[in-house]
Amino acid sequence: MGIRSKLIAFTVGIAVLAAVVFDGYVMKTLGAELGEQTEAELAVRTELVAATVAREGDLAAESAALAAALSERAGARVTLIDPSGVVRGDSSVAPERLVELEAHATRDEVADARHHGAGRSERVSKTTQMRMLYAARRLDRPDGPWVVRLAFEPIAIDRSLSAARARVVQGTLLALALAVSAALLGSRALSGRLVYLTGVAREMRGDLSRRARVQGRDEIAALGSALDDLAESLEHSRRELGGEGERFGAVLESMREGVLVIDEEGDIALVNPALSQLLGIRGDAVGRPPIEVLRSASLHELIEEVALARAAATREIEIAPAAPGSAGPPGRRILVVNAAPLALPAQSRGAAGVVAVFFDVTELRRIEGLQRNFIANASHELRTPVASIRASSETLLGGALDDPEAARDFVEVIERNAARLHRLVNDLLDLSRIDGRERPLSQGAVDLAAQAEAAVALLRERARDKRTEVKVDVAPGTLVAADARALDQVLTNLVDNAIHHTPDGSRVVVRARAANGRVVLEVEDNGPGIPPVHQGRVFERFYRVDPGRSRASGGTGLGLSIAKHLVEAMSGDILVTNGAAGGALFRVTLPGATAGAQQR
C-alpha cells in the first residue's frame, strides 16, 4: 500500500471512528434527555389525572368509564387500582374483561406509589405486550388508598431518536466525503514529493552523483537534504574504498605467495591467483569449504585451530599431487602456511575468520635434500680414496719400502686414488662454478661433427682396451649454437660413460640430426641399458645405477650431472632412455646455428 492510500485510509478511519463515537454519544445523550423529559411530562399528567379522579364520588362504580375518558384527555393509558390491588378501570381493557386481569398490587410503580406516594418504572406490559413507561400516584380515599397509573408508549422518543440518528449519519457521510477529498489533495501533494525522493534514491543506487535538492523547511525537505548528505558520504567512501580495493587487488595479484581468506562460516572468501596457480585450483572456489577445494586434512586442522583459538599458527603441510584430469597441483608440494584470525576476541563470539599465507618451499626442501645427499655422498666418495692412500702410505712407512715389488704396488694404489681424488675435486669445482654461474659460456656456431670426432679421438685408446667400437655418424657442417669447451666436455662424459658401462666388445654410436631449428645429438650403446626406475635419477649428483661397478671403474658419479648442467646452460635439454637394441640412449637437444654466427 502506497503512502497516498495509507493517508486516505488513515483519514477515513479517523472520520469513521469519530462518527461512531459522535453517534453513540449523541444518541445516548439525546435518548437520556428525551426519556427524562417524557418521564417528567408523564408525572405531570399523572398529577392532573389523580386530581380529577379525587373529585369523583363513587369511584368504584365509575372507574371503567372514568379511565377511558381520562385516557383521551391525558393522551396515555389510564389504570385505576383499588386498595386491594384489583384493577377497577383500564383504558386499554374493556370493562367486561377487567376481571381477567391479575392484581397489580405487586407492580413496581404501584408498590412504590402505595408506600411513597408516587412511583415509576419501564417494562413490557403483560396486557399490551408493548414497552411502556409507567407513572403511578397514590390517591387516599375513605375506603383506602387507590392508585392512579398512567402508561405511555415511548414511540415519540424512538421516532425522535431515529430522526436524529438519520441526521447524524447524513452529517457523518458529508464530513467523511470532505475528509476523503482533503486527504486526496493532501496525500497527492505529500506523496508527490515522497515519490520524487524515492525515484532519486533509486537513481542513487547506480549514480551517487544524483542529488534530490528538495526546497522547503518541512520534514520532507529535511529528508531530501539528509539523502543528499548520505549520497555525498557514500560517494566519498566508495572512491576511497575503490582506491583501497584496487591497491589491495594489485597487491594480491602481484604476490608470489598464495593468500587464502576463510569467513566466519568456514567457507572460502578469497583466493589470490598465486594460490590458484600453486595448487591448481579450477573454477570458482569462493563459497566452498577449503577441505573440498584444497583436499588437505592438515590445512583443514590448522584453519579450525586458528579459528577457534583465535591465535596465529604456522605449520608445514604437504599437498599430494592431483590425479590425472582432476583439480590440484600436478606434483607434490610442500608449503609453509602462516594463518591468523581475522576477528579479535572482543569483537565477536564463536569461530573467527582466518587469513592464511602460503609459501612454496618445495624447491627449497628439494635443494636442502640434495645438499644433504651431496655432502653425504661427497664425504663418502672422498673417504674411500683417502683411506686407500692412507693405508698404502702407512704400509710403506711400516717397512714395505724395503720390498721393491710390494712398494711399487702400494705406490700404484696411491697414484690411482690420488688421480681419482683429482678428478673428483675437479668435477666438484666444475659443478660449483656452473651452479654459481662462475663459468661463463661463449656460445657460437660449433661444428658438431668435428667436435664429436675430437671427443671420440681422445677416448679411442680406452675403447680399444675394451674392444669397443665407437662410431661417429654426424653429417659434416652440422652446426649448433654452443660453447665449444662445454660441448666437448658433454660429449666426452657421454661417450666415456657409454664405454665404461658396456661390456667388452660393445658398440657405441654418436649421431645427430636437425629438426625444427634444433639439433638432436644421440649417444647410444648396445649394452644392458638403464632400468626405467633409474632413468629419472641418473643425472643426480653421485647417483649410480651400479655403485660397486662405477667405483671400480674409477668414476666420480658427477659426469652426467655436469653434462646436464652444461646442456641446460646452453639452452638445451638432455634425457636418457633405452634404444631399440636395449642399450642406453642419451639424447641431447641444442639450438641450431648458421655459418658465421658470432660467439657471445
Side-chain angles (χ1 to χ4, degrees), residues 211-461:
R211 296 294 179 268
R213 295 185 174 88
V214 179
Q215 302 297 323
R217 296 185 178 181
D218 58 3
E219 288 79 2
I220 295 181
L223 176 61
S225 178
L227 193 62
D228 290 345
D229 293 341
L230 177 61
E232 183 71 28
S233 176
L234 288 175
E235 186 176 20
H236 179 69
S237 299
R238 188 180 67 174
R239 286 195 298 267
E240 290 186 347
L241 290 175
E244 291 294 332
E246 290 178 0
R247 286 191 289 271
F248 180 67
V251 170
L252 286 179
E253 291 282 345
S254 62
M255 285 181 65
R256 297 178 60 186
E257 296 78 14
V259 177
L260 174 70
V261 179
I262 308 297
D263 60 22
E264 291 79 0
E265 301 298 327
D267 296 327
I268 295 176
L270 183 146
V271 174
N272 75 329
L275 185 61
S276 297
Q277 183 178 3
L278 177 64
L279 300 182
I281 298 175
R282 298 179 184 175
D284 188 6
V286 175
R288 298 164 60 189
I291 188 67
E292 177 184 323
V293 176
L294 305 180
R295 303 184 183 278
S296 170
S298 299
L299 177 60
H300 184 67
E301 292 173 359
L302 174 63
I303 292 173
E304 284 192 338
E305 175 187 332
V306 173
L308 295 176
R310 297 178 177 273
T314 300
R315 188 171 300 172
E316 184 172 300
I317 64 173
E318 182 176 331
I319 304 292
S326 62
R332 169 178 167 269
R333 314 302 299 178
I334 301 176
L335 308 171
V336 173
V337 184
N338 293 331
L342 280 176
L344 297 176
Q347 292 178 322
S348 61
R349 297 181 179 179
V354 176
V355 57
V357 180
F358 294 72
F359 299 89
D360 186 5
V361 296
T362 306
E363 184 64 18
L364 178 62
R365 296 293 181 262
R366 188 187 72 82
I367 293 173
E368 289 175 350
L370 291 176
Q371 288 177 340
R372 287 191 296 270
N373 292 337
F374 175 76
I375 293 172
N377 290 327
S379 300
H380 181 74
E381 294 294 335
L382 290 170
R383 186 182 299 115
T384 300
V386 168
S388 297
I389 292 172
R390 183 175 180 182
S392 299
S393 301
E394 290 175 351
T395 302
L396 289 172
L397 293 174
L401 286 172
D402 297 333
D403 185 350
E405 185 175 350
R408 182 177 181 82
D409 292 337
F410 286 116
V411 171
E412 289 178 352
V413 170
I414 292 173
E415 191 278 332
R416 286 197 305 272
N417 283 282
R420 183 178 175 186
L421 278 176
H422 179 73
R423 290 193 301 272
L424 182 59
V425 170
N426 284 338
D427 287 346
L428 288 174
L429 288 175
D430 278 345
L431 277 175
S432 177
R433 284 194 293 267
I434 295 170
D435 284 342
R437 300 182 183 274
E438 297 176 3
R439 177 176 173 177
L441 300 181
S442 300
Q443 290 188 232
V446 177
D447 188 339
L448 184 58
Q451 199 78 20
E453 290 288 356
V456 168
L458 292 175
L459 299 171
R460 291 285 185 194
E461 185 177 352

Side-chain angles (χ1 to χ4, degrees), residues 525-563:
D525 61 58
N526 61 349
I530 301 175
V533 68
H534 297 290
Q535 290 177 4
R537 301 190 61 189
V538 294
F539 296 105
E540 295 179 10
R541 301 172 185 184
F542 297 113
Y543 187 82
R544 291 184 172 90
V545 177
D546 185 355
R549 183 180 176 189
S550 298
R551 290 193 180 94
S553 64
T556 63
L558 296 174
L560 291 180
S561 181
I562 292 173

Side-chain angles (χ1 to χ4, degrees), residues 4 7 70 123 303 360 462 578 592:
R4 181 180 300 178
L7 285 173
L70 292 176
R123 69 177 181 276
I303 292 173
D360 186 5
R462 188 173 299 175
N578 288 331

Side-chain angles (χ1 to χ4, degrees), residues 187-232:
S187 63
R188 181 176 298 175
L190 179 61
S191 63
R193 301 175 75 191
L194 291 176
V195 168
Y196 169 73
L197 286 180
T198 302
V200 171
R202 288 174 177 169
E203 292 177 9
M204 286 178 177
R205 289 187 301 181
D207 182 12
L208 285 176
S209 63
R210 183 76 166 86
R211 296 294 179 268
R213 295 185 174 88
V214 179
Q215 302 297 323
R217 296 185 178 181
D218 58 3
E219 288 79 2
I220 295 181
L223 176 61
S225 178
L227 193 62
D228 290 345
D229 293 341
L230 177 61
E232 183 71 28

Side-chain angles (χ1 to χ4, degrees), residues 580-599:
L585 171 63
F586 285 86
R587 181 177 292 118
V588 177
T589 304
L590 292 170
T594 57
Q598 299 294 322
Q599 286 190 345

